[in-house]
Amino acid sequence: MRSIAVINQKGGVGKTTVTLNLAHALALAGHRVLAIDADPQGHLSMAFGLEDPAGLDQVLQFGARLEDAFSEAGNGLQIVAAGEQLQEVENLNEGGAARGWRLQKALDRLEQPFDFVLIDCPPSAGLLGMNAIIAADEMLIPVAGDFLALNGLSRLMRILQGIEARLGTSRRKWIVLSRFVEQRRHAREVRERIREHFADALLPTTIRESVVLAESPSFGQTIFEYQPRHRAAADFQQLAADLIAAGAPTNTRPTAAHA
């Protein structure tokens, strides 16, 4: 099982859009996929058309099983919604450092086999963010083609390296250019800067800016349901192929014994 945290502290980079459509693309490629909404805003849950079901809030607050929070999306794709009380997890005081390991422990208890777990992270490094980082074997970082996104990427990399140093672990990090407009010179310059500094992490496929990617969540649909013949669907199919071809990393995720 490959667990991938889709993470970026900068807003507007297409993090939830990437999680939504990549999850469906992987499922359509024949993989069993679990998508987890770890953002209290619940945008991933809404994009899948889920209406405030109990979800990750019950898992992290009260120890419920992840299976009890599953919502079926078809094609081998299961969703765990955020839940209305997820924000309250940030205020948990009991449990000490072990609070950050609750999602990993819940994944370790899964009885159903999955090939991929995608975690849509909140835009912060609080308790929810730590749960996602600790539970993940890999990081997928969507970056928009602008200078502020590039600056945010450098800052995020430093934060992740600091967290990994404290945990004594490392994770494979992937970068995907999202909301990309090839015709903009500045976007192409940002891409070259990323290639210069993070060549090993940059995935070959870019997700091109498209109105349909913004529209589909309002109908509770992925791009493959809303406009399956659109070039955006092809982008996500190729992005899924990139990750599949990359293969599973050596497992360097810490175990709960470190908590």
Side-chain angles (χ1 to χ4, degrees):
M1 182 176 75
R2 294 174 63 182
S3 53
I4 303 174
V6 184
I7 187 169
N8 198 322
Q9 292 182 315
K10 185 182 184 303
V13 299
K15 179 174 57 65
T16 297
T17 298
V18 167
T19 309
L20 171 74
N21 294 296
L22 177 58
H24 200 169
L26 289 167
L28 290 173
H31 295 278
R32 286 187 53 81
V33 182
L34 174 63
I36 299 176
D37 191 348
D39 188 340
Q41 297 176 93
H43 289 169
L44 182 67
S45 308
M46 288 185 281
F48 272 115
L50 305 180
E51 297 183 1
D52 298 325
L56 190 62
D57 55 348
Q58 302 301 305
V59 176
L60 298 184
Q61 281 189 284
F62 307 114
R65 299 187 316 149
L66 277 169
E67 284 93 340
D68 294 336
F70 282 0
S71 293
E72 174 67 48
N75 300 297
L77 177 58
Q78 297 281 355
I79 315 300
V80 174
E84 293 183 335
Q85 302 178 56
L86 188 59
Q87 181 59 49
E88 297 178 17
V89 172
E90 294 286 10
N91 301 319
L92 289 175
N93 294 316
E94 298 179 358
R99 294 173 299 163
W101 302 75
R102 294 187 178 188
L103 180 53
Q104 181 192 327
K105 291 179 179 179
L107 287 173
D108 289 341
R109 291 196 300 266
L110 276 174
E111 296 179 2
Q112 296 187 34
F114 288 94
D115 301 308
F116 288 90
V117 176
L118 299 184
I119 307 168
D120 189 24
C121 297
S124 70
L127 186 55
L128 287 168
M130 284 300 300
N131 267 272
I133 291 170
I134 289 172
D137 301 311
E138 304 168 66
M139 305 286 169
L140 178 62
I141 306 169
V143 179
D146 60 67
F147 172 76
L148 292 178
L150 180 61
N151 185 63
L153 172 62
S154 298
R155 181 174 180 272
L156 176 61
M157 287 294 196
R158 291 194 298 271
I159 291 172
L160 292 176
Q161 288 167 0
I163 292 171
E164 288 176 335
R166 292 196 299 273
L167 293 172
T169 64
S170 63
R171 290 157 182 75
R172 189 67 189 266
K173 301 173 186 65
W174 308 108
I175 299 168
V176 57
L177 282 164
S178 60
R179 306 192 63 180
F180 191 77
V181 181
E182 181 74 38
Q183 293 78 10
R184 293 178 184 166
R185 185 181 68 179
H186 181 61
R188 297 195 302 271
E189 291 172 348
V190 168
R191 179 174 59 191
E192 291 309 309
R193 291 282 297 277
I194 294 175
R195 281 177 178 164
E196 179 182 350
H197 295 286
F198 305 105
D200 292 341
L202 182 61
L203 293 169
T205 299
T206 60
I207 304 301
R208 292 168 285 185
E209 177 79 299
S210 176
V211 172
V212 296
L213 289 175
E215 291 176 346
S216 67
S218 66
F219 295 93
Q221 295 180 333
T222 71
I223 189 61
F224 299 101
E225 298 163 316
Y226 184 63
Q227 291 281 354
R229 297 179 183 270
H230 195 274
R231 69 179 191 184
D235 286 350
F236 276 102
Q237 285 179 316
Q238 189 55 54
L239 179 62
D242 289 348
L243 281 174
I244 293 167
T250 301
N251 187 7
T252 57
R253 190 182 66 178
T255 63
H258 287 80

